[in-house]
Amino acid sequence: MDTSVYWFKQQRPQGEPLRGTVSSEVVVVGGGIAGLTCAQALADRGVEVTVVEQTFCGAGASGKSSGFITPDSELDLSDLVANYGEARGQALWEFAKSGLERIRGTIQALAIDCDYQLQDSLFVAQSARAFRNVIEVEHRTHASLGYHSTVYERASLEAILGSRVYQGGIRYGGTFGINSFAYCRALRSALAQQGVRIFEGTPVTRLTAGGVETPGGAVTARSVAVLTDYELPALGLAAPVYHIQTFLSISRPLRDHEIRTIFPGDRLMVWDTDLIYQYFRITGEGRLLLGGANLCSMYSSRERPSSEPVARKLYRYLFKHFPSLKLEIEHLWSGLIGVSQDFAPVAARHDALPAVYFAGAAAGLPWAAALGEYLAEKITEGRAEFDDVLSPGRSFPIGRRLQCLLGKPAAFALSHGIAKYLRK
């Protein structure tokens, strides 16, 4: 099984590193969806922008992603409402949806070829208890806030998902899948054509009051926007973020009857209610994307590029849910996703360096896009309506002292376990 990222084999990014000193109104640090969206939003407002990326745009979590473009992430709509109240929870859901529409609008406006697949979202229960405690609650929350969704009992679910194992699910539309790496590369090219200077292979070594320093030079700027996800602390930012490691696999191209074995009707984006959940969809090439993780590697302090236990787990999952499907996985690769203890992102202005703004831990591509636009508008217009929710100084399930005693991996694992068990 090939452990390289499938998307990376289709392109060989070659970018110019920064050499010398350049000046700009704003320098954006990070070339993932959050950073590129921030640069896009700034450029659309006539701001002179420079982007610096330590490897190449789309090299991190954004480019390794399954491309699920749905406002659901680690936080479902019902979680947002339970955590923040009905009005605030709905506002945050709409915030995530704004990121979804930003991505969709960019694809359409720039005619980006990124395997854009209209696919409804389907959240499925692995047990009868999960169906009652998660799926039905989620459906009621959607309905109470005026969002259309369809709830499926076990018997009716088989008409749209070819497995007898799941106990039910909730489906809603307006979502889609993409090749997120192709999206990042195309947006990078469009921004360069628009006049945004982009330097790849350019890690930032130090943030300053007037820009950033790199091994080959510096960018002087009025404002700095740092969107490096879980690597925020590496730049000296007191951001309470860590990472979780997940794995994504892609199969050989499936025949039509094999796809119909999984999806008798429409092709959907599916994830389940397991504590460490699985998720899957079909690409435009007819390949199955299947993601998951295991507890041993999920909170590892460093990325593990391959994992035989995860591969075995994914094969067992396929056999359990689709026993007649004889499927070969061609690639299995790892990725690190930035998270906070409560799964909400962080965004703030640096206390000691007021020219520096930062954001990260957007577990989900629409959240990342929304966060990038939020930071751009914070710089240019002082946007602040979600600053309390996104504040890195907010209260978390595990306090700083206990986190120091436990260590970050154990503290984040415990915090996430509490959150997931309480709501499931």
Side-chain angles (χ1 to χ4, degrees):
M1 188 182 300
D2 195 329
T3 59
S4 64
V5 181
Y6 176 70
W7 318 124
F8 293 179
K9 289 199 162 190
Q10 299 173 356
Q11 293 190 41
R12 296 289 182 181
Q14 293 181 348
E16 284 294 322
L18 174 64
R19 296 185 179 90
T21 299
V22 299
S23 62
S24 185
E25 288 184 75
V26 180
V27 55
V28 174
V29 182
I33 281 183
L36 293 173
T37 302
C38 183
Q40 179 188 25
L42 290 166
D44 288 346
R45 289 165 171 77
V47 177
E48 181 189 34
V49 187
T50 298
V51 176
V52 291
E53 159 58 41
Q54 68 173 347
T55 49
F56 55 84
C57 292
S62 293
K64 296 178 179 179
S65 165
S66 60
F68 275 52
I69 309 300
T70 170
D72 264 305
S73 62
E74 301 292 343
L75 295 171
D76 308 319
L77 177 59
S78 58
D79 297 323
L80 295 172
V81 169
N83 292 345
Y84 304 105
E86 187 173 283
R88 194 70 160 157
Q90 184 173 19
L92 286 165
W93 182 259
E94 290 294 327
F95 178 69
K97 287 180 67 178
S98 75
L100 179 151
E101 294 304 335
R102 160 66 79 163
I103 294 170
R104 191 200 308 272
T106 298
I107 292 169
Q108 294 171 346
L110 301 178
I112 292 177
D113 181 9
C114 61
D115 194 27
Y116 177 72
Q117 300 287 318
L118 290 172
Q119 295 173 335
D120 285 359
S121 292
L122 180 65
F123 187 24
V124 291
Q126 291 276 61
S127 68
R129 179 178 179 273
F131 180 73
R132 292 190 304 272
N133 295 350
V134 180
I135 301 300
E136 289 184 345
V137 170
E138 188 70 11
H139 178 62
R140 285 197 300 271
T141 306
H142 276 253
S144 69
L145 295 177
Y147 300 116
H148 175 73
S149 65
T150 303
V151 66
Y152 292 86
E153 302 281 349
R154 180 177 182 178
S156 59
L157 185 64
E158 290 183 34
I160 63 167
L161 188 60
S163 173
R164 297 182 178 181
V165 177
Y166 301 112
Q167 302 299 304
I170 175 177
R171 174 180 179 174
Y172 63 89
T175 59
F176 56 95
I178 63 170
N179 175 336
S180 54
F181 177 63
Y183 177 86
C184 287
R185 297 307 299 173
L187 181 52
R188 177 227 178 273
S189 297
L191 290 172
Q193 291 174 7
Q194 194 175 341
V196 174
R197 286 176 296 189
I198 300 175
F199 297 102
E200 295 173 289
T202 304
V204 169
T205 55
R206 192 166 78 95
L207 303 172
T208 71
V212 301
E213 295 178 356
T214 77
V219 182
T220 61
R222 183 190 67 208
S223 300
V224 180
V226 185
L227 298 110
T228 57
D229 202 30
Y230 60 87
E231 293 185 340
L232 288 173
L235 289 174
L237 297 167
V241 300
Y242 188 56
H243 60 256
I244 53 176
Q245 181 174 216
T246 186
F247 288 82
L248 186 64
S249 67
I250 192 165
S251 75
R252 59 166 174 78
L254 305 185
R255 299 177 180 86
D256 287 343
H257 77 273
E258 291 175 313
I259 294 175
R260 288 194 298 273
T261 297
I262 306 171
F263 297 115
D266 299 330
R267 300 180 185 185
L268 307 168
M269 299 192 302
V270 183
W271 65 99
D272 63 41
T273 55
D274 278 354
L275 177 61
I276 301 175
Y277 60 89
Q278 288 71 219
Y279 48 98
F280 56 91
R281 70 179 185 89
I282 301 293
T283 71
E285 296 179 319
R287 296 175 184 266
L288 178 69
L289 279 174
L290 171 63
N294 65 11
L295 188 58
C296 292
S297 61
M298 197 167 185
Y299 294 93
S300 175
S301 59
R302 65 176 186 274
E303 186 172 6
R304 300 177 181 178
S306 63
S307 174
E308 289 186 9
V310 173
R312 290 195 295 269
K313 180 185 177 186
L314 294 180
Y315 269 118
R316 287 196 301 270
Y317 187 84
L318 284 172
F319 181 77
K320 175 182 177 181
H321 292 82
F322 307 102
S324 66
L325 189 65
K326 307 302 180 185
L327 190 146
E328 297 174 20
I329 293 175
E330 292 188 347
H331 289 251
L332 175 73
W333 63 92
S334 65
L336 300 181
I337 301 170
V339 289
S340 69
Q341 281 192 29
D342 61 10
F343 291 122
V346 298
R349 193 172 188 173
H350 196 292
D351 291 334
L353 301 172
V356 176
Y357 301 75
F358 63 92
L365 297 178
W367 282 88
L371 205 61
E373 188 160 14
Y374 187 84
L375 211 63
E377 293 178 355
K378 178 175 283 295
I379 291 170
T380 57
E381 301 155 26
R383 186 177 179 184
E385 78 269 27
F386 294 121
D387 279 8
D388 58 333
V389 175
L390 303 177
S391 169
R394 64 187 185 264
S395 176
F396 290 103
I398 305 295
R400 290 185 180 181
R401 290 184 180 179
L402 184 54
Q403 180 173 302
C404 289
L405 290 172
L406 295 174
K408 262 192 170 182
F412 274 71
L414 178 59
S415 178
H416 292 164
I418 292 170
K420 292 220 173 195
Y421 276 124
L422 283 176
R423 73 173 187 255
K424 286 182 170 64

